[in-house]
Amino acid sequence: MIQRYLGNKTSFIDEIIKEIDKLCNKEDYVCDIFSGTLSVSMKLKEKGYKVISNDINRFSYCFGKSHLLNNTIPIIDLKKLGINFNEYENEALNRLNEINTNDEGFKFLKKQKYRIPYINLIILLKYLDNLDSTKLPSSYNNTYFFDYYTEKGSHSKFISQRGSEGRRKFFTPDNGSRIDLYLNKIREWFNNKLLNDDLYFLLLSIISESIEKISNTQGTFHDFPREQYDSRALKELKLRLPKFDNILSKTEGHILGKERDSLDFIKEVPRHKVLYIDPPYNFRQYTSYYFMLNLICDYCEIKDLEKYFNNVKFVRGQNMEKNFISSFCKNSEFISSLKKLIKDADTEWIIMSYFNGRNHKTSNNDKKCILTDLENFFKSELFEKDSLIIKPIERKNYQSYGGHKATKVDELLYIVKKDKNEMV
Ligand SMILES: C[S@@+](CC[C@H](N)C(=O)[O-])C[C@H]1O[C@@H](n2cnc3c(N)ncnc32)[C@H](O)[C@@H]1O
């Protein structure tokens, strides 16, 4: 899964699930309406709930397809993809034997029935890692990631609004070329209809996850260190082996929104027991901050790549076509948007995450104010009287804001029941 993500709930997952467990029976629907990395959705799947998951980001949709909706290791016809099993068999077997089947995510490999399809997947990833441009037809030999996002690229020059100039450095030139090779090959297979849905989305998730680990960023793709490379970025890009323990959980009946605005999607969501809301905590717009992950997941389906890349903007080089401005990131619209979302939700309970660090209103030092506003909102007539509980969970805040140091802040859980008269 993607790790470096603003608001990723992996570290508080147990506390969140504990509260959901108190309200739900197994097989109840739970809706994760701002699912991001899917950390919460996947834990819910593992616990046996039926999950409804949605996020505006394309990469979240890809992970939803490959991790939440999918329950299998995709069957891979290597021959059809032009891959010679014998060429990689020994290497793949060695790699398989190196995996510790007691490690989190890899316990599924204790079962013999999963080892054969997994070997084919290892072979496929080895093939992609060893790919060179001679294995691509000329019409697929594009170099957009090298050209636009590495310092040696022909189109990586930027001029910032303040007039500073330089070259984009999201990846080292070698890693940029490798991304081109992976994605061009998958684009070719996709266009020739050689990949089933499960495999297509799994490959995109694996590539996104692997790229996140070697990108030259401080966590988001809004910018990159201008002068030097982060030490992570200097590592050679290799595709990571996916963990399948959660994916193979047997529950079915999950529902996935496709890059929908949650305010629209919620109107179509069937009755659920708990609506888990993990909104943006401040002004940062996620489709800008994580545009690179979305681009990787969109790349194979962009019809005219040349036109697409000719239209990239800003220092970071984002094509703004699918950029989305969320009202949940705006101070003035945050609470009214929450109200709309909850009014339209066919839910019994709401659990919302928020925090008392630098949130929607802290730029002018009134961070308490938004918490008071939120408390008043959750005590309004939309909710059952006296049902609100606010639970603090202690954590460190590692977000960097020009010199702002890590401080101890509380992650908060608002747990509240929707009023019966307000049910949809
Ligand atoms: C705090 S993050 C959620 C993190 C997630 N729980 C996790 O563990 O990774 C907030 C999410 O809300 C999404 N988002 C913001 N506004 C949205 C909207 N109007 N509709 C759908 N998603 C939205 C962002 O893309 C982002 O992934």
Side-chain angles (χ1 to χ4, degrees):
M1 307 293 282
I2 300 295
Q3 306 260 290
R4 290 194 284 164
Y5 193 71
L6 293 171
N8 182 348
K9 289 297 171 291
T10 307
S11 5
F12 320 110
I13 197 77
D14 291 341
E15 282 89 345
I16 296 167
I17 298 292
K18 198 165 90 192
E19 297 307 322
I20 293 175
D21 281 345
K22 285 184 196 160
L23 303 174
C24 292
N25 295 315
K26 291 288 167 270
E27 304 225 338
D28 274 340
Y29 269 118
V30 179
C31 179
D32 180 13
I33 196 68
F34 295 106
S35 56
T37 62
L38 268 84
S39 66
V40 178
S41 292
M42 289 308 292
K43 197 68 183 180
L44 291 168
K45 175 180 178 180
E46 185 194 312
K47 297 281 287 184
Y49 294 115
K50 286 193 180 135
V51 185
I52 303 165
S53 181
N54 176 64
D55 197 280
I56 196 69
N57 276 306
R58 166 75 175 172
F59 88 84
S60 306
Y61 174 69
C62 284
F63 275 86
K65 288 288 274 187
S66 62
H67 285 58
L68 180 66
L69 298 190
N70 172 39
N71 282 334
T72 59
I73 301 177
I75 303 295
I76 303 172
D77 186 341
L78 291 170
K79 208 161 156 198
K80 208 166 72 176
L81 299 178
I83 303 171
N84 180 355
F85 177 89
N86 296 331
E87 194 180 332
Y88 299 99
E89 185 187 4
N90 285 342
E91 233 186 297
L93 275 173
N94 289 342
R95 183 70 191 88
L96 181 71
N97 291 329
E98 278 164 22
I99 299 172
N100 182 345
T101 57
N102 289 320
D103 280 355
E104 206 49 53
F106 292 104
K107 299 193 172 110
F108 71 99
L109 284 171
K110 290 183 199 286
K111 292 198 179 138
Q112 193 58 29
K113 66 173 180 177
Y114 291 131
R115 293 177 79 88
I116 303 283
Y118 202 70
I119 287 183
N120 278 359
L121 181 57
I122 298 178
I123 289 181
L124 172 53
L125 301 183
K126 290 254 168 237
Y127 170 84
L128 287 170
D129 273 336
N130 286 302
L131 201 61
D132 63 54
S133 56
T134 61
K135 302 231 175 73
L136 283 164
S138 57
S139 54
Y140 286 95
N141 237 325
N142 301 306
T143 53
Y144 290 110
F145 283 84
F146 176 86
D147 287 340
Y148 282 81
Y149 302 118
T150 78
E151 60 181 328
K152 291 205 176 142
S154 51
H155 291 82
S156 63
K157 196 164 176 202
F158 69 80
I159 304 180
S160 77
Q161 278 174 345
R162 290 190 190 147
S164 70
E165 292 186 23
R167 288 194 170 273
R168 285 183 207 111
K169 266 185 180 199
F170 277 115
F171 310 105
T172 60
D174 283 351
N175 283 341
S177 295
R178 185 123 300 280
I179 299 171
D180 282 318
L181 290 166
Y182 293 150
L183 288 177
N184 289 328
K185 194 71 200 173
I186 293 171
R187 186 177 163 91
E188 182 200 346
W189 286 337
F190 176 82
N191 283 343
N192 291 324
K193 304 197 176 1
L194 298 177
L195 302 172
N196 57 39
D197 251 26
D198 289 344
L199 182 55
Y200 173 58
F201 287 110
L202 179 65
L203 287 174
L204 295 180
S205 306
I206 293 171
I207 293 178
S208 308
E209 195 181 316
S210 308
I211 283 172
E212 185 236 331
K213 305 286 178 292
I214 54 83
S215 53
N216 185 36
T217 66
Q218 286 169 345
T220 81
F221 290 90
H222 200 250
D223 211 335
F224 44 86
R226 303 280 170 91
E227 304 306 326
Q228 79 294 334
Y229 287 105
D230 182 282
S231 58
R232 279 175 279 223
L234 295 170
K235 294 194 183 124
E236 187 187 356
L237 173 58
K238 289 272 179 218
L239 294 177
R240 295 167 72 86
L241 295 183
K243 300 177 173 176
F244 267 92
D245 287 353
N246 284 353
I247 297 179
L248 297 171
S249 322
K250 276 287 163 271
T251 49
E252 288 185 352
H254 308 299
I255 299 173
L256 179 67
K258 186 175 183 188
E259 304 165 59
R260 301 284 302 279
D261 181 345
S262 56
L263 290 173
D264 293 332
F265 181 68
I266 198 70
K267 296 176 191 159
E268 297 159 24
V269 169
R271 171 153 296 189
H272 45 287
K273 191 81 180 194
V274 171
L275 174 65
Y276 172 63
I277 306 177
D278 187 15
Y281 289 178
N282 51 44
F283 63 90
R284 290 178 167 75
Q285 294 285 354
Y286 282 77
T287 54
S288 296
Y289 277 69
Y290 296 94
F291 84 94
M292 187 66 80
L293 300 178
N294 291 337
L295 166 56
I296 283 157
C297 291
D298 265 331
Y299 181 86
C300 299
E301 295 174 55
I302 296 171
K303 293 270 171 307
D304 187 341
L305 286 170
E306 191 177 337
K307 185 168 159 215
Y308 182 94
F309 282 97
N310 271 337
N311 280 318
V312 304
K313 302 255 178 318
F314 306 118
V315 170
R316 64 184 179 276
Q318 179 186 359
N319 178 308
M320 299 301 282
E321 236 167 62
K322 277 174 78 181
N323 194 51
F324 177 81
I325 304 292
S326 173
S327 56
F328 288 89
C329 295
K330 298 182 178 173
N331 291 346
S332 56
E333 293 174 41
F334 179 59
I335 290 192
S336 57
S337 300
L338 267 184
K339 186 170 179 184
K340 255 191 237 155
L341 180 76
I342 294 171
K343 249 188 173 307
D344 285 335
D346 194 356
T347 191
E348 239 176 87
W349 287 91
I350 288 94
I351 299 186
M352 189 182 97
S353 288
Y354 202 66
F355 84 153
N356 68 2
R358 285 207 154 198
N359 56 36
H360 282 86
K361 292 203 175 167
T362 41
S363 50
N364 45 1
N365 277 341
D366 57 355
K367 71 180 167 196
K368 285 243 163 57
C369 171
I370 182 87
L371 299 182
T372 314
D373 291 351
L374 271 177
E375 192 170 333
N376 289 338
F377 166 63
F378 282 123
K379 285 182 173 164
S380 69
E381 64 287 357
L382 188 52
F383 305 97
E384 201 173 284
K385 197 164 178 281
D386 298 331
S387 66
L388 176 66
I389 298 172
I390 305 175
K391 292 215 160 179
I393 310 168
E394 205 174 272
R395 66 130 152 162
K396 277 244 162 107
N397 178 20
Y398 290 107
Q399 295 183 60
S400 65
Y401 297 81
H404 178 78
K405 291 260 162 48
T407 48
K408 194 167 77 58
V409 296
D410 283 329
E411 185 77 17
L412 303 168
L413 282 180
Y414 293 80
I415 305 161
V416 63
K417 191 165 190 192
K418 194 169 169 183
D419 191 89
K420 280 200 187 73
N421 300 324
E422 295 284 348
M423 293 297 277
V424 175

